[in-house]
Amino acid sequence: MFELRDYQNETIQRITQSIIDGHQSIIVQQPPRTGKTVIMAEIARRATAKHHRIMFIVHRQEIVQQAKQTFVKQNVNMNLAQIGMVQTFTRHIDRLAEPTIIFIDEAHHALAKSYQRIINNFPEALKLLFTATPWRMSGKGFEDIADDLITGKPIKWLIDHGNLAPVDYYAPKQIDTQLLKVKRNGEFNETSITEAMKPKIYGNAVKQYMKLASGKQAIAYAYNVVSAEKLASAFNHQGITAKAVSGKTKKQERDRIIRDYRDGKIMILTNADLFTEGLDLPNVDCVIMLRPTKSLALYLQFSMRSMNPRSGKRAIIIDHVANVERFGLPIQERNWTLKGTSNSTVHATSSNIQGVTVCEKCFATFYRKGDNCPFCGHLLTKEETIKTDEQVELEKITNERAKKLAKKILENEVMKNVADKTPAELSNMAELKAYAKLHDYKLGWVFYQAESKGLIRR
């Protein structure tokens, strides 16, 4: 077994070398459950030991106290540490002491104006931006804010070396993906998403949990506050202790519920827009997805909640909304890059009940009262009703199905990459085939272009 501490030390060495090489703003990609806060705390300890001041920025209040505890445990000089929410720092930016190092947690949010205001206010500071998923739904890259990317080990490698638990993944047997239509830019047509995927939750959540993960502590991700509360009630009705938590839950009550869950007094936490990033809940063995998403970052945060390792453990993921059809298994290897894409993607979560909303532009969290974000004015995604089809059975994702999913996802990615190109810019057979499919060209066009480019000979 490759000890997690060794993995963290290796990451720190790579960060150190990047700084030596002259990089000033570094994105550090670390898979969930690999201790990125511990890595940041160790770097902060070394910095404050040399009397350097550090700043640690998070985007949720629940993470602040957790981070402070980790920093104290790691012997960081807290007199030289500023730890707080981005919203607080932005409002009081003139009162902040200048840091030598700025740490940004969940740094895929760092392109938001609130983060940029802080970063731009301290141009001389070293920026270390940590995230499991350097990816934005808007398709925008990170080259404007980072000059280096350090990637972590693949998730499968971490499983093979005992640092993450292996996972069994269950999803609907069938979903009508034939209804999905692709726009000229390679992205799904929003109307076809609504028709093919958004409207339904497949399978009965309580029944499937009892069949596939009975006795395991679980977190269920619901699509709004009311659905979270109804699901908790359904579990309790079957004698399975469950509590619903959302942004509406008072902090004192929420803290008590989280404490009871950690102590094993609660089996199921159902939630809306919480427990996606940062908060440490090590005893989760099962994740239940009832919230569809087109955000890769959100999908990985959902699915990997259950993968904290323990001897003999196999994590269970029960995906009622076929998120796996869009992203493949969480263990799939991904090619992270600072570059963006020309595509924008649409957040697929929807509800006709006004629950907690997270703005996809500035990441403010609020109770929705209109069509625009009350903080930045961004036009919010329209919400619709999600229907349920309880008759559909779920099945375990086999290696064969996983390979087919990976192939389909790769083909979709190639289509996105060629959407804005001309035939003259296509450079290989995969791009030619994807371009032909996108434009309804026949196979003969592919071979003609391939021959003219010298890719094949007749």
Side-chain angles (χ1 to χ4, degrees), residues 345-360:
T345 52
V346 180
H347 196 290
T349 302
S350 58
S351 158
N352 67 339
I353 300 169
Q354 303 303 300
V356 176
T357 296
V358 180
C359 175
E360 58 194 44

Side-chain angles (χ1 to χ4, degrees), residues 12-240:
I12 293 172
Q13 290 172 8
R14 294 175 65 194
I15 294 170
T16 302
Q17 185 59 54
S18 180
I19 296 169
I20 292 172
D21 291 341
H23 297 294
Q24 184 71 12
S25 185
I26 305 164
I27 289 183
V28 184
Q29 183 271 327
Q30 291 292 296
R33 320 269 78 82
T34 54
K36 68 180 186 297
T37 306
V38 173
I39 294 172
M40 287 186 275
E42 175 58 20
I43 297 172
R45 182 193 67 78
R46 298 180 187 184
T48 57
K50 296 179 180 178
H51 308 290
H52 294 302
R53 184 174 292 278
I54 67 98
M55 178 185 294
F56 184 88
I57 306 173
V58 303
H59 74 294
R60 285 189 184 273
Q61 182 60 46
E62 293 90 348
I63 306 172
V64 173
Q65 288 304 317
Q66 183 175 292
K68 286 181 178 179
Q69 291 172 4
T70 302
F71 275 49
V72 170
K73 185 178 180 180
Q74 204 86 353
N75 296 316
V76 175
N77 183 347
M78 299 303 287
N79 293 322
L80 297 174
Q82 301 172 94
I83 301 177
M85 294 175 63
V86 60
Q87 296 91 333
T88 304
F89 283 157
T90 301
R91 286 196 301 268
H92 305 289
I93 197 164
D94 294 335
R95 305 179 197 173
L96 299 175
E98 184 168 354
T100 302
I101 303 175
I102 296 176
F103 298 93
I104 298 181
D105 189 41
E106 307 300 347
H108 46 280
H109 299 324
L111 289 173
K113 289 181 180 179
S114 53
Y115 286 87
Q116 287 300 298
R117 188 175 179 217
I118 300 169
I119 291 171
N120 294 334
N121 197 60
F122 303 109
E124 300 301 317
L126 171 68
K127 273 77 71 174
L128 300 179
L129 304 94
F130 282 72
T131 177
T133 50
W135 180 92
R136 290 286 300 250
M137 283 200 299
S138 66
K140 192 172 183 180
F142 294 88
E143 292 175 297
D144 289 346
I145 63 168
D147 52 24
D148 194 19
L149 171 65
I150 295 174
T151 56
K153 300 286 189 185
I155 292 171
K156 190 176 185 303
W157 187 96
L158 291 165
I159 293 173
D160 292 342
H161 288 77
N163 301 124
L164 290 173
V167 61
D168 291 333
Y169 199 110
Y170 296 86
K173 287 183 179 180
Q174 295 178 336
I175 184 167
D176 194 1
T177 54
Q178 296 302 314
L179 293 176
L180 288 173
K181 305 298 181 183
V182 179
K183 297 187 294 186
R184 291 185 67 84
N185 68 353
E187 183 53 86
F188 293 138
N189 175 278
E190 288 83 356
T191 302
S192 73
I193 293 171
T194 300
E195 293 300 320
M197 302 185 82
K198 279 174 62 177
K200 290 185 180 179
I201 294 173
Y202 297 87
N204 181 293
V206 177
K207 176 184 173 183
Q208 293 297 329
Y209 166 81
M210 294 173 69
K211 176 183 176 181
L212 302 173
S214 181
K216 293 181 180 292
Q217 281 190 279
I219 286 184
Y221 291 96
Y223 58 91
N224 60 27
V225 176
V226 172
S227 64
E229 292 171 347
K230 286 184 177 180
L231 182 60
S233 178
F235 274 112
N236 284 312
H237 186 71
Q238 292 294 325
I240 302 167

Side-chain angles (χ1 to χ4, degrees), residues 368-426:
R368 184 168 179 165
K369 295 181 180 180
D371 294 332
N372 297 89
C373 171
F375 292 87
C376 72
H378 178 66
L379 182 63
L380 302 171
T381 304
K382 182 180 179 182
E383 298 189 342
E384 302 170 11
T385 302
I386 296 181
K387 299 178 182 178
T388 301
D389 184 352
E390 295 192 356
Q391 303 306 312
V392 174
E393 287 295 317
L394 307 187
E395 67 176 5
K396 185 176 178 180
I397 302 291
T398 62
N399 288 336
E400 181 180 356
R401 185 176 173 189
K403 289 178 181 178
K404 289 180 179 178
L405 284 171
K407 181 180 179 181
K408 183 186 77 172
I409 291 164
L410 179 60
E411 289 174 349
N412 286 339
E413 287 301 313
V414 176
M415 289 180 71
K416 292 178 184 179
N417 290 334
V418 304
D420 295 328
K421 291 184 177 181
T422 65
E425 295 173 310
L426 306 177

Side-chain angles (χ1 to χ4, degrees), residues 256-269:
R256 183 188 65 77
I257 292 173
I258 292 172
R259 186 168 59 250
D260 285 349
Y261 182 82
R262 284 174 171 157
D263 292 341
K265 297 177 182 179
I266 297 172
M267 288 300 295
I268 313 289
L269 275 182

